[in-house]
Structures are given as structure tokens and as C-alpha cells.
Amino acid sequence: YALGAHGGSALFAADPGCVDYSGREGGAGMIKIPTSLLGQLLAYAVGGGAVTVFHSACYWVMATILTVEPFLANSIAAILAGLVGFLLHSRWTFGGVERQLSDRAALTRYAVVSLICYGVNSFWVWLVIHRFGGTVNQSIIPMILATPWLGFLLNRFWAFR
């Protein structure tokens, strides 16, 4: 996404790989919905990264400060991040709100992807904390470095197809 001057303010410049919320190709609106694989990958890196940080922060606070058992903390964090993630990814990363929120199949597929990613993150909690005796902080590392890429692939090529 290129930043450019539009009417004296910095907005996303028209891009043939994007549409805006009005559905216009290369749209003139401020928020662009990426349509190319690269655009969606970049959007996922930003939006998905934010959702991953949100999940990790919720998990960390619950498991370390509130002393909630790590599996339960991960479960609660996954639910919260799943809700935030669907709103973000259905509206921006993988398509427009009109198409995605009215598509129950996309919501169902997104829920399945979220459950798969939850299972993978639960595996990291078990492996790092319960199997190897590591810390909550150490269990967050694979949650940040591995799980999001699985989520991107499943969301891009299946949930929001």
C-alpha cells in the first residue's frame, strides 16, 4: 500500500490490487481492502499481528498476573482474539463486510480455523509448560512465530475464499 497525498492529507493511494468499502477498484476511500495475495499477506501481517499480540497479552496477563491455569488462560484469550480477528479479517484483510458478514459459510469456516489455531496454541502450552517445564513467556514464542502463518494459509485459501 502506498501512502500518497490526496486532497492535502495522507491517505492510501489508489491501488489496482485493492477495493474500498464502496467496491470501487483501486478505490479512493481511506481503508483499502486488499485483493492480491501480497496485499492480503501484508494486511494479515499488520492485522493478524495485532490480533496475535492481543491474544498473547490476554494469555500472559491471565496466566502470570491472575494465576489462571495456562490452558484456561489460552482458551479465554483464544475466544477474545477469535472475535476480534473475525471482525478485522472479514472486513479488511480478506474482503468487505457486505460479502463476509452475510456469508454464514465464511463465519463457520473461520470458526473452524480458529479452533485449529486454538488447538495448535494449546499444543504449545502443553509442550513448553507441561512437557518441558518452561514458562508462560516461553510458550508465547511459538504462538507468535508459528501459529499465525497456519491461520493465514487456512483463512486465505479456505475460510475467506
Side-chain angles (χ1 to χ4, degrees), residues 47-126:
V51 172
T52 299
V53 168
F54 176 73
H55 172 267
S56 299
C58 291
Y59 166 65
W60 183 84
V61 166
M62 287 186 280
T64 60
I65 295 173
L66 302 177
T67 64
V68 174
E69 200 284 322
F71 277 119
L72 179 58
N74 179 53
S75 299
I76 296 168
I79 292 167
L80 296 173
L83 295 172
V84 170
F86 181 75
L87 292 174
L88 178 69
H89 296 315
S90 67
R91 293 175 183 211
W92 180 48
T93 310
F94 299 110
V97 66
E98 297 82 12
R99 181 177 69 88
Q100 296 301 339
L101 290 182
S102 65
D103 187 352
R104 291 180 194 258
L107 177 58
T108 302
R109 290 188 301 264
Y110 179 82
V112 170
V113 170
S114 293
L115 286 172
I116 291 168
C117 290
Y118 163 73
V120 170
N121 281 342
S122 294
F123 170 75
W124 298 130
V125 170
W126 171 81

Side-chain angles (χ1 to χ4, degrees), residues 1-2 12-21 23-29 31-44 91-96 99 156:
Y1 305 168
F12 286 103
D15 178 357
C18 294
V19 296
D20 66 14
Y21 276 115
R24 295 174 294 199
E25 285 294 324
I31 299 175
K32 301 294 183 247
I33 300 169
T35 57
S36 68
L37 176 60
L38 179 59
Q40 289 177 343
L41 183 61
L42 292 173
Y44 194 83
R91 293 175 183 211
W92 180 48
T93 310
F94 299 110
R99 181 177 69 88
R156 169 62 166 85

